[in-house]
Amino acid sequence: MFRSVVRITSRNLNLNRRSLIPNDAVSHFPSPPSASAATLIPSLDHAHRRRFSSSKSTKSSITKTKKSEGKKSKSKGGESGAAAGAEDGEFGGSAGDDLEAGRAKRLADDEKTPSLDVGPNGRPLFTPRDVTLSKLSHKDIGSYFKFDEAALKAVLPEGLASGIEDEFKESWRPALLVRKSFLDLRDNFRRIADPPMWPSEGGVKPKKQIILDGPVKSGKSIALAMLVHWARDEGWLVLYAPKGRDWTHGGYFYKNQHTGFWDTPLQAESILKDFVKFNEPRLRELRCNVYDPIVLGEGAGVGYLKGQETMPIPEDSTLYDLVQMGINSTHAAVSVVVRLRKELSLVKDVPVLIAIDQYNNWFTFSEFEEPVTPRSCRPIHARELTTVNAFRSMMHDDMMVGAFSHSTAVGKLRKDLPDVPADARQNFHRYSLDEAEAVCYYYLRQRLVRREVFSEENWKKIYYLANGNGAEMRWLVPFMR
């Protein structure tokens, strides 16, 4: 009786620990947890939040706990760690820089041996060098597509998804798995932009609005980033927000007396700056279609502009000129973002795509609060923010794709979301057995696991233990024995 009670309590404790730590923040090679559950609980002190601004909290108790544990482990495990490193060889846990240098040298030597680039059943592990994202076909499924990391960051200057950064960092190669789910997503929008060359197969009608949904670490953000990369390679005009949560957290917020929505000028300025980073040449070519004056609002920390309520738009202005108005004037930033949304719907010269990651954060409460009484505040919903309200709806004829990010822990949303078509959700699955096999062969090629211990039985154990979770598989593979 006593043993069963202890087992259940321990299990519940482990579950509580997992729920308290965001999935994206978990290291892929952590030491076994030794702190109590109480030390993992973050601080909940929000009493000093400013009335009309929001600031991110400082270092939490989690960071302090990790630092203290690290100091203790260094003092206690110095001598034993060296012995363990010698025993484990290339994958020992304490050799540090020497092991990384050794692995880098071996990987450099492996590049001279093309026979190592072989996946399951003798299939090529990598796609041919002359193949682009546009030329990928179903025969490339299960292979890895190599990126030029500098070129990738140039195409996605807004920032890379955390899943992409983690994959590149741990595997030591800028490459991603080609999955059928990405090819289906790409071909869906390709058929919309160029119907004659891509007739619908089996009578399936392409969708202009799609929500990528699925379990944690199923590859939604990676597929969205690859879609944006492909669209920009094709010459599309893409507004890409890799962190939609930032639209609802941090910075100043003011209630607009004209619209009743809440303006967030700092977020609006950031949106415009990100949009112009890659799209500047295209924006300089596109003329504005709406020339109504821009209504000025409150600036970030400076209030209203005295003696001026609107800002005129000169004739023959381009979309680049419009965006620059919002960047240069904090009073006009929010109104320019709203006007930009209207202008994107009127662009006819090039295909336009709106891609929003962490889209589910727009259907819950923001970080902001409105004072109701001297002792109470009302949480402000994301739909009440001017910028979110302008871009959230999918009830239009524009191409738009949003990806849910369950790592941000906003809670489970209902199936029928407001302002979203009923058939917009597209379920993204975790790795299948065939995909997991290709992934494990790739990690073998990148020396995350020793060849003498790699076997079909072992990689299947990894797959079933991680339940197809890509991040957990990458974390577990080095422990293969």
Side-chain angles (χ1 to χ4, degrees):
M1 176 67 71
F2 178 74
R3 291 181 180 179
S4 61
V5 172
V6 173
R7 187 181 299 113
I8 294 174
T9 304
S10 176
R11 183 182 306 170
N12 293 338
L13 180 60
N14 290 334
L15 290 177
N16 289 336
R17 287 176 178 173
R18 292 179 63 88
S19 64
L20 288 170
I21 304 178
N23 194 50
D24 291 341
V26 178
S27 172
H28 300 296
F29 297 92
S31 59
S34 59
S36 63
T39 62
L40 297 177
I41 300 178
S43 174
L44 300 178
D45 183 15
H46 299 294
H48 301 290
R49 177 177 297 173
R50 295 181 60 184
R51 183 176 181 182
F52 293 109
S53 67
S54 172
S55 59
K56 295 183 178 179
S57 60
T58 56
K59 295 181 180 180
S60 64
S61 58
I62 300 178
T63 306
K64 296 179 181 178
T65 303
K66 288 184 177 180
K67 287 184 177 180
S68 61
E69 289 179 356
K71 293 180 180 178
K72 294 179 180 179
S73 61
K74 287 182 180 179
S75 60
K76 292 182 179 180
E79 298 179 358
S80 61
E87 181 180 354
D88 291 344
E90 183 180 354
F91 300 94
S94 61
D97 295 339
D98 293 338
L99 287 180
E100 291 185 357
R103 182 186 173 195
K105 183 180 182 301
R106 292 182 179 90
L107 288 175
D109 295 338
D110 292 345
E111 291 295 326
K112 305 174 184 178
T113 311
S115 60
L116 296 177
D117 300 339
V118 178
N121 301 320
R123 298 195 307 268
L125 189 59
F126 300 101
T127 59
R129 292 184 178 181
D130 59 339
V131 173
T132 62
L133 288 176
S134 181
K135 295 180 180 179
L136 289 176
S137 62
H138 283 260
K139 69 178 181 180
D140 298 311
I141 294 176
S143 300
Y144 272 78
F145 181 85
K146 297 180 182 178
F147 290 92
D148 183 299
E149 193 165 1
L152 178 63
K153 292 181 179 179
V155 177
L156 302 175
E158 299 90 344
L160 301 180
S162 61
I164 296 179
E165 292 181 337
D166 294 341
E167 177 69 19
F168 289 179
K169 179 181 178 181
E170 301 299 336
S171 66
W172 288 21
R173 182 190 292 273
L176 295 173
L177 181 68
V178 179
R179 305 183 66 187
K180 182 178 181 298
S181 52
F182 162 70
L183 296 183
D184 292 343
L185 182 65
R186 180 203 64 182
D187 293 343
N188 174 83
F189 289 101
R190 174 180 276 172
R191 288 195 296 269
I192 296 174
D194 198 358
M197 295 184 62
W198 289 85
S200 60
E201 301 177 0
V204 178
K205 184 179 179 180
K207 301 177 182 179
K208 287 190 174 183
Q209 299 84 28
I210 291 179
I211 294 179
L212 306 181
D213 195 3
V216 177
K217 297 300 178 183
S218 57
K220 302 179 292 294
S221 297
I222 294 178
L224 182 65
M226 293 177 69
L227 177 69
V228 173
H229 191 309
W230 164 79
R232 286 178 170 172
D233 287 346
E234 296 292 304
W236 291 23
L237 181 63
V238 183
L239 188 146
Y240 176 45
K243 295 182 179 179
R245 182 178 181 272
D246 289 350
W247 291 35
T248 64
H249 287 67
Y252 294 91
F253 58 105
Y254 309 99
K255 189 159 189 177
N256 191 311
Q257 302 301 326
H258 300 286
T259 63
F261 292 103
W262 293 84
D263 292 348
T264 51
L266 290 181
Q267 277 88 342
E269 181 181 347
S270 178
I271 294 167
L272 297 173
K273 287 181 178 179
D274 286 344
F275 182 57
V276 80
K277 286 178 181 177
F278 182 84
N279 298 304
E280 179 178 346
R282 180 68 68 183
L283 294 176
R284 289 183 180 274
E285 301 173 355
L286 299 173
R287 299 289 179 183
C288 292
N289 293 282
V290 182
Y291 290 95
D292 297 337
I294 296 295
V295 179
L296 301 180
E298 289 193 57
V302 295
Y304 285 100
L305 190 64
K306 294 182 179 181
Q308 187 177 358
E309 295 183 354
T310 61
M311 182 178 295
I313 299 179
E315 294 185 6
D316 297 331
S317 294
T318 64
L319 291 185
Y320 177 79
D321 298 328
L322 175 65
V323 171
Q324 286 300 316
M325 291 175 59
I327 294 176
N328 297 329
S329 174
T330 182
H331 301 88
V334 175
S335 296
V336 168
V337 170
V338 177
R339 179 65 58 84
L340 177 63
R341 179 64 187 91
K342 296 179 180 178
E343 291 285 359
L344 292 178
S345 297
L346 300 175
V347 173
K348 303 300 180 184
D349 297 338
V350 294
V352 177
L353 176 67
I354 300 173
I356 309 295
D357 202 356
Q358 302 178 355
Y359 183 62
N360 50 333
N361 284 269
W362 293 3
F363 294 90
T364 185
F365 290 100
S366 69
E367 186 186 36
F368 312 126
E369 295 180 344
E370 177 186 15
V372 178
T373 68
R375 296 186 178 181
S376 64
C377 293
R378 179 187 70 87
I380 299 175
H381 199 277
R383 65 171 177 269
E384 300 180 64
L385 305 181
T386 306
T387 52
V388 173
N389 182 73
F391 280 88
R392 191 183 78 157
S393 175
M394 286 189 173
M395 306 302 289
H396 48 67
D397 198 42
D398 304 325
M399 288 186 287
M400 181 174 177
V401 55
F404 281 3
S405 176
H406 298 297
S407 301
T408 55
V410 301
K412 188 174 182 179
L413 301 175
R414 64 184 190 183
K415 187 175 181 179
D416 51 333
L417 295 174
D419 302 322
V420 173
D423 60 343
R425 286 204 189 190
Q426 179 175 321
N427 193 31
F428 248 61
H429 299 282
R430 289 177 174 173
Y431 286 149
S432 64
L433 192 62
D434 292 337
E435 290 175 330
E437 183 180 15
V439 168
C440 290
Y441 269 84
Y442 173 68
Y443 292 152
L444 174 66
R445 169 64 178 81
Q446 294 305 114
R447 291 187 173 271
L448 279 174
V449 58
R450 293 194 298 265
R451 293 188 176 274
E452 57 268 23
V453 300
F454 184 82
S455 64
E456 180 179 1
E457 179 183 1
N458 282 341
W459 72 254
K460 283 186 176 180
K461 289 179 180 178
I462 298 293
Y463 170 71
Y464 290 116
L465 183 61
N467 194 25
N469 184 316
E472 292 187 2
M473 286 184 60
R474 185 173 59 245
W475 182 82
L476 287 170
V477 160
F479 298 105
M480 190 181 294
R481 294 292 185 268

